Amino acid sequence: MEQPIDLSPSAANRVATIAAKQGRDPALRLAVEGGGCSGFQYRFDLAGEIEGDDIVVERDGVKLVVDSVSLDLVRGSVVDFVESLGGASFQVTNPNAASGCGCGSSFSI
């Protein structure tokens, strides 16, 4: 069965590194909120609690946690960690996004 969302090996490695430094479980929460320059924006945080309606996928011992409402907006996406001359960040490749902004953290449907 295909996962509803995926975490790249690079993102899993980065989450594991951050969580180890903070002494926390390696679990990244992705949420979608209203706002940003395109209508919706992504929010990343280490997941504290996993709620009953959360979707959890796992790669290399690292969990990606998404609430059921946000999942409707990011289904089929891949969460990656990208390092470039401009900096390093988590990025979402979202097949549902009709457009996005230059910062890569907001999108519209």
Side-chain angles (χ1 to χ4, degrees), residues 93-106:
T93 302
N94 187 345
N96 305 303
S99 65
C101 68
C103 68
S105 64
S106 72

Side-chain angles (χ1 to χ4, degrees), residues 37-83:
C37 26
S38 295
F40 294 103
Q41 60 188 0
Y42 302 111
R43 184 174 52 85
F44 296 99
D45 195 5
L46 288 179
E49 297 285 324
I50 296 177
E51 305 297 329
D53 68 337
D54 285 338
I55 305 304
V56 180
V57 297
E58 201 166 327
R59 176 180 296 273
D60 302 330
V62 175
K63 295 176 182 168
L64 174 61
V65 182
V66 183
D67 65 90
S68 60
V69 174
S70 296
L71 184 64
D72 287 341
L73 299 168
V74 296
R75 186 176 300 278
S77 296
V78 176
V79 177
D80 196 8
F81 182 75
V82 178
E83 295 182 84

Side-chain angles (χ1 to χ4, degrees), residues 19-31:
K21 286 181 180 177
Q22 295 185 13
R24 299 189 51 196
D25 289 333
L28 179 69
R29 179 172 291 281
L30 166 62

